[in-house]
């Protein structure tokens, strides 16, 4: 398992220094002691023996151990105690080994960050200064002075070890956070690209559905009306009226086809607001179907946004087309209500009704999709043999006055 917070280059360099410090300080102390003209009791043989003991301890208790064992707290403690003990023996034998005694200050970093770091620094300082003090001639003031030095050194060095660890740990976390942020930004960039692709595909699908609704609401209905009028003309000797209506429907369908291709609104809304367009639609529909259609507009009329007016007009077209094709009605009603926050469109008939008002025929789906696209909703109430009521509710988003 990878370490989420690997050591920094500084930590690795410091650890390599700590590994060689005992050998460097021991070798320097040995060279100075052997070069000294005054040799202590036991002379050079004792110096070499104690040095060999210290060297063997450093090798056996630390360097030659496996890396996994070497880093355990027990192994670190045993190694530190042995180094400090051999340093005390060597310093008491010859003062030049004070250099080797300093090794304990470096090894104290292995306990950081914990209170044992301070204990290790304090023990090293005590051996370092205590071995040079002539206890037989020491005064109280001198002992207090040495103790004060030990305390200050313990706080300074131990605190430095811990502060260094904490600072490095914080920097590691900052680097990790920056890395995670960069990864998140790259992931977000990928997601953004995916969303753009999906939005593009959704736009294509919406446009296809819009064109399908436009064709269904204009060309299909116009062609159906033409066919109805031509069939009626076939059954009558005087067919001029029906042929004229068929020609008018064909002309309107051609006009709507051109407008659909150009994505324009219905021509009925080009120079008029929704109530007038609804009145025109009702008159033309009633004339072509022979069904009596009553139109009523209630509330304070306000200019609505083009999208709202087009949607309500197309819903009315589709609902009336369904009445003409399926209801077999003799009377119908269209009510457009301005209620302030919303606009209501109700279309009723006294026809045969719908056996499945929740059905998903293209006409009903078209109306629902149009209304959902601008935050509206559609409700259908019908009882077989008692007619149908179609109700559309849509937010009254106002547009610019014409």
């Amino acid at each position: 398992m990878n370490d989420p917070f690997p050591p920094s280059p500084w930590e690795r360099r410091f650890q390599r220094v700590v590994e060689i410090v005992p050998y460097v300080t021991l070798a320097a102390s040995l060279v100075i002691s052997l070069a000294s003209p005054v040799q202590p009791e036991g002379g050079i043989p004792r110096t070499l023996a104690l040095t060999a003991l210290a060297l063997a301890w450093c090798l056996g208790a630390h360097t030659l151990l496996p890396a996994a064992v070497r880093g355990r707290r027990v192994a670190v403690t045993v190694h530190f105690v042995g180094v400090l003990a051999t340093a005390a023996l060597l310093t008491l034998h010859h003062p030049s080994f004070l250099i080797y005694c300093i090794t304990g200050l470096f090894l104290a970093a292995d306990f950081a960050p914990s209170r044992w770091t301070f204990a290790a620094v304090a023990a090293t300082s005590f051996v370092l200064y205590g071995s040079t003090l002539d206890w037989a001639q020491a005064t109280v003031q001198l002992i207090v002075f040495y103790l004060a030095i030990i305390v200050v050194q313990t706080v300074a060095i131990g605190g430095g070890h811990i502060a260094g660890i904490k600072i490095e740990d914080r920097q590691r976390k900052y680097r990790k956070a920056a890395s995670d942020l960069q990864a998140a930004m790259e992931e977000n960039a990928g997601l953004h690209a995916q969303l753009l692709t999906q939005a593009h595909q959704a736009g294509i699908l919406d446009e296809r559905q819009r064109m399908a609704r436009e064709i269904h609401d204009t060309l299909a209905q116009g062609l159906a009306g033409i066919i109805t009028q031509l069939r009626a003309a076939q059954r009558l000797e005087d067919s001029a009226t029906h042929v004229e209506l068929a020609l008018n429907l064909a002309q309107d369908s051609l006009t709507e086809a051109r407008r659909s291709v150009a994505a324009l609104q219905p021509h009925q809304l080009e120079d008029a607001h929704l109530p007038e367009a609804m009145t025109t639609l009702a008159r033309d529909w009633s004339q072509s179907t022979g069904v009596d259609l009553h139109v009523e507009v209630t509330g304070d009329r306000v200019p609505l946004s083009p999208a709202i007016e087009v949607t309500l007009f197309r819903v009315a077209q589709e609902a009336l087309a369904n009445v003409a094709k399926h209801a077999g009605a003799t009377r119908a009603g269209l009510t457009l209500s301005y209620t302030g926050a919303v606009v209501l469109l109700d279309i009723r008939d006294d026809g045969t009704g719908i056996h499945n008002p929740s059905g998903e025929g293209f006409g009903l789906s078209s109306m629902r999709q149009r209304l959902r696209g601008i935050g509206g909703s559609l409700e259908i109430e019908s009882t077989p043999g008692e007619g149908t009521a179609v109700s559309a509710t849509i937010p009254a988003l106002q547009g610019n006055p014409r």
Side-chain angles (χ1 to χ4, degrees):
M1 180 177 173
N2 295 330
D3 185 0
F5 300 112
S8 65
W10 180 89
E11 286 180 298
R12 289 193 294 268
R13 287 193 295 269
F14 182 76
Q15 191 59 40
R16 287 194 292 268
V17 170
V18 172
E19 292 291 331
I20 64 173
V21 160
Y23 303 103
V24 173
T25 56
L26 183 61
S29 300
L30 177 61
V31 170
I32 294 173
S33 67
L34 293 178
S36 176
V38 179
Q39 294 294 327
E41 183 181 353
I44 294 178
R46 186 175 180 181
T47 301
L48 294 175
L50 290 174
T51 303
L53 175 63
L55 179 62
W57 184 266
C58 291
L59 290 171
H62 183 75
T63 305
L64 299 180
L65 292 177
V69 177
R70 198 162 55 226
R72 294 177 182 174
R73 179 55 59 89
V74 174
V76 170
T77 303
V78 170
H79 176 230
F80 175 81
V81 171
V83 169
L84 196 59
T86 54
L89 291 174
L90 284 166
T91 303
L92 291 173
H93 174 68
H94 196 282
S96 63
F97 284 93
L98 283 172
I99 299 173
Y100 176 59
C101 188
I102 296 174
T103 300
L105 299 177
F106 286 88
L107 297 181
D110 292 334
F111 295 96
S114 72
R115 61 180 181 275
W116 296 107
T117 305
F118 293 103
V121 174
T124 302
S125 300
F126 184 81
V127 171
L128 185 63
Y129 296 111
S131 61
T132 61
L133 182 64
D134 184 0
W135 291 94
Q137 303 296 326
T139 62
V140 174
Q141 291 83 355
L142 186 59
I143 294 175
V144 171
F145 174 73
Y146 272 99
L147 290 176
I149 293 177
I150 292 173
V151 169
V152 172
Q153 184 167 287
T154 299
V155 173
I157 298 178
H161 284 317
I162 294 176
I165 294 294
K166 295 292 186 181
I167 291 173
E168 188 62 29
D169 183 61
R170 187 180 298 111
Q171 290 177 345
R172 272 201 307 266
K173 291 180 179 178
Y174 285 158
R175 290 195 296 270
K176 180 66 164 53
S179 176
D180 291 344
L181 180 60
Q182 180 66 27
M185 292 176 63
E186 292 175 357
E187 183 179 359
N188 286 340
L191 292 175
H192 181 65
Q194 292 179 6
L195 288 175
L196 288 178
T197 301
Q198 292 174 358
H200 178 68
Q201 294 174 347
I204 293 175
L205 180 60
D206 288 343
E207 183 62 17
R208 288 175 178 171
Q209 292 176 344
R210 186 191 70 80
M211 291 302 297
R213 291 195 298 267
E214 290 292 331
I215 292 172
H216 178 267
D217 292 343
T218 56
L219 297 181
Q221 293 177 11
L223 291 173
I226 292 170
I227 292 171
T228 300
Q229 297 301 324
L230 292 177
R231 285 177 177 172
Q234 288 178 336
R235 295 192 296 268
L236 299 173
E237 292 182 2
D238 183 10
S239 59
T241 301
H242 292 289
V243 171
E244 183 180 357
L245 288 173
L247 288 173
N248 290 336
L249 286 172
Q251 184 62 44
D252 289 342
S253 296
L254 178 60
T255 302
E256 285 294 343
R258 290 169 176 168
R259 295 182 185 280
S260 296
V261 171
L264 297 175
Q265 62 184 7
H267 70 88
Q268 291 91 339
L269 291 171
E270 196 169 70
D271 299 316
H273 284 301
L274 187 60
E276 294 78 13
M278 287 290 191
T279 302
T280 302
L281 172 66
R283 184 186 65 242
D284 294 342
W285 181 86
S286 182
Q287 184 178 6
S288 64
T289 61
V291 178
D292 181 26
L293 177 60
H294 176 69
V295 178
E296 183 179 4
V297 179
T298 64
D300 295 331
R301 304 182 183 188
V302 293
L304 302 173
S305 72
I308 300 294
E309 292 194 343
V310 169
T311 298
L312 285 172
F313 185 84
R314 292 305 190 197
V315 169
Q317 268 189 326
E318 178 61 32
L320 292 175
N322 287 339
V323 172
K325 288 187 289 185
H326 307 299
T330 59
R331 289 183 304 169
L334 186 154
T335 303
L336 183 64
S337 304
Y338 293 83
T339 64
V342 296
V343 179
L344 306 177
L345 173 66
D346 296 297
I347 299 175
R348 306 164 306 282
D349 67 76
D350 62 354
T352 58
I354 302 175
H355 293 280
N356 184 17
S358 61
E360 292 299 326
F362 186 86
L364 296 178
S365 298
S366 174
M367 288 191 287
R368 289 192 175 98
Q369 289 176 0
R370 281 184 179 277
L371 291 168
R372 277 200 302 266
I374 54 175
S377 62
L378 181 72
E379 293 184 4
I380 300 175
E381 297 181 1
S382 181
T383 302
E386 297 183 9
T388 302
V390 176
S391 298
T393 304
I394 199 166
L397 302 178
Q398 297 189 21
N400 296 323
R402 293 186 185 136

